[in-house]
Amino acid sequence: MSQGTDIEQLLTEHAPMLARIAANHEVNLAVREELLQEISVAVWHGLARFRGEASVKTYIARIAHNRCVDHVVREQRHYHPLDTDAPVEQAPETFVSESEHVRMDLHAAMLRLSLGFRQVIGMQLEGFTQSEIAQVLGISEAAVAQRSSRARKQLEQWL
Amino acid sequence: MDPKLTQWQQQYQQQTPAVDVAALVAHAQRQQRKEHGLALLDVFAGLAVSLFCLIALVFLAQSWQEQVLYAGLAPIPIGFGLWAYRLRKRHWQQQALDVSHATALKRQQLYNQCRYWQVSAWGVGLLWAGLALTALIVTLGHGDVHPWAVSLAVNAVVLAFTVGRYRVVKARLPLKLKALDGIQSDADP
């Protein structure tokens, strides 16, 4: 893929998804911002080498998840997946409504999931198919289905 | 798709964190250029030092010992620069692998990172030793030792930093490997 405008457009288009993936791996706002920046740089490097071996969205998600795994390894000393007391970003003003409480619960519940479950359910909520999730995570579709089913059961319990 | 998942999907999309996309894109572009620049700097810095060694070999060496010394030192900096560049490029390519494969490679990268600093420490140490030997030869030959002493002092700082960094990376390696093990077992309960 050519450098410049194309990459800029793709990064702009997928920035909200990248922000959600970062939010699924880091609860601290300031650190999450840094993580998002790191992901964006990695995506830029990656898109410059993109040869159409998968859909662009899948390719970008793969890079983002890899950066997040790197982040979790690096921040292992401070990483507590069950630390739901950590500050979670306030919903923007326009989204404050009667359903806000439920949405915050969904995010908090997702953060309580183990990383393997969180990755699968997060990608399902992004609209990826089982086959695409299997491609991103490098696991079989059967494993995706199994993790998804278990993750959903846990979420339903907590919500 | 079942209604429950659809409902969660809507909630999930709505809770997207606020993001300044323009600033993010600008940062990514700037950082990507910077990282490419640093990668090239590794190569050019190595090339410059190797060229200096060759110039010294041809024009400055006053004895066969000095010639052997410069000839031995010349390939080290450029070799190191090219090796570091290749390592960076491979790292960028590996970012696009699937997570399972990348996690396995991450383990290798942690070892590589440790080896990078180990090789750096040895490379800088060899250069420093070469400089020290040259300074000794110059001193014994009653030449002007001052410029060599300055070079030795500057390189000693670089050497101390490199060795220090290597020791830190080496000390953290077991903890990071343990974290990777943790992630893998976490992903497959």
Side-chain angles (χ1 to χ4, degrees):
Chain A
M1 177 172 289
S2 63
Q3 288 276 1
T5 322
D6 289 350
I7 297 178
E8 205 174 311
Q9 276 172 359
L10 284 170
L11 197 54
T12 304
E13 187 184 330
H14 294 286
M17 176 182 78
L18 298 179
R20 287 190 292 270
I21 293 174
N24 284 344
H25 290 83
E26 179 56 62
V27 286
N28 181 291
L29 263 179
V31 183
R32 190 197 301 168
E33 288 283 322
E34 286 172 22
L35 175 60
L36 181 57
Q37 288 180 346
E38 265 184 51
I39 293 171
S40 307
V41 175
V43 166
W44 196 293
H45 278 302
L47 284 174
R49 288 165 180 76
F50 180 62
R51 300 288 175 268
E53 56 271 48
S55 77
V56 178
K57 190 182 172 189
T58 307
Y59 186 78
I60 289 175
R62 210 188 285 172
I63 295 171
H65 277 93
N66 275 329
R67 284 311 308 168
C68 287
V69 168
D70 276 0
H71 171 76
V72 171
V73 171
R74 202 175 51 228
E75 298 289 315
Q76 192 62 24
R77 284 169 298 171
H78 318 289
Y79 179 67
H80 305 290
L82 297 180
D83 183 10
T84 48
D85 293 334
V88 175
E89 182 170 338
Q90 291 293 318
E93 197 72 22
T94 48
F95 292 146
V96 175
S97 67
E98 72 285 348
S99 62
E100 181 187 9
H101 185 67
V102 178
R103 288 202 307 271
M104 299 306 269
D105 276 353
L106 175 66
H107 188 218
M110 281 183 68
L111 288 172
R112 288 185 66 188
L113 289 170
S114 72
L115 186 63
F117 288 179
R118 208 182 325 149
Q119 285 173 329
V120 168
I121 207 78
M123 290 190 70
Q124 272 194 322
L125 297 180
E126 286 291 349
F128 286 99
T129 63
Q130 277 194 0
S131 157
E132 287 170 330
I133 298 171
Q135 274 181 42
V136 169
L137 299 181
I139 57 176
S140 66
E141 285 190 48
V144 173
Q146 193 185 37
R147 285 187 195 182
S148 166
S149 162
R150 288 186 187 176
R152 284 192 59 176
K153 272 182 195 159
Q154 286 196 336
L155 284 178
E156 277 165 10
Q157 261 182 348
W158 292 331
L159 292 172
Chain B
M1 195 184 285
D2 66 273
K4 189 77 183 171
L5 203 62
T6 308
Q7 186 198 345
W8 284 353
Q9 201 169 38
Q10 283 166 357
Q11 289 168 8
Y12 182 73
Q13 302 283 335
Q14 281 175 348
Q15 74 180 26
T16 301
V19 50
D20 183 347
V21 178
L24 190 69
V25 169
H27 171 85
Q29 193 168 20
R30 216 169 35 243
Q31 197 62 23
Q32 187 263 355
R33 279 187 193 145
K34 191 177 156 189
E35 286 181 18
H36 262 289
L38 282 174
L40 288 175
L41 189 68
D42 267 345
V43 177
F44 285 120
L47 183 67
V49 178
S50 285
L51 276 176
F52 173 77
C53 287
L54 288 176
I55 289 168
L57 170 69
V58 176
F59 299 107
L60 303 176
Q62 290 171 347
S63 64
W64 69 267
Q65 291 96 332
E66 280 186 54
Q67 283 179 333
V68 169
L69 182 70
Y70 287 128
L73 288 177
I76 295 173
I78 183 64
F80 174 74
L82 288 170
W83 178 73
Y85 182 75
R86 208 172 139 236
L87 212 62
R88 278 180 204 262
K89 281 202 88 170
R90 203 190 304 163
H91 176 68
W92 292 332
Q93 282 163 354
Q94 284 167 358
Q95 287 293 332
L97 293 171
D98 64 68
V99 173
S100 179
H101 194 179
T103 304
L105 276 172
K106 177 73 190 165
R107 179 180 295 277
Q108 191 54 46
Q109 280 170 7
L110 289 173
Y111 283 116
N112 281 348
Q113 187 190 32
C114 196
R115 224 174 74 212
Y116 173 94
W117 286 105
Q118 188 184 28
V119 171
S120 299
W122 274 105
V124 175
L126 277 174
L127 282 173
W128 191 86
L131 277 173
L133 195 64
T134 311
L136 185 70
I137 291 168
V138 170
T139 309
L140 291 176
H142 305 292
D144 181 10
V145 78
H146 183 72
W148 294 103
V150 172
S151 289
L152 270 177
V154 170
N155 276 283
V157 175
V158 176
L159 179 61
F161 170 78
T162 312
V163 171
R165 183 70 193 148
Y166 166 57
R167 294 179 97 173
V168 169
V169 168
K170 192 183 175 189
R172 287 181 183 166
L173 183 64
L175 186 72
K176 290 188 171 182
L177 290 175
K178 200 177 161 189
L180 267 183
D181 290 340
I183 285 174
Q184 276 173 332
S185 60
D186 190 30
D188 295 306

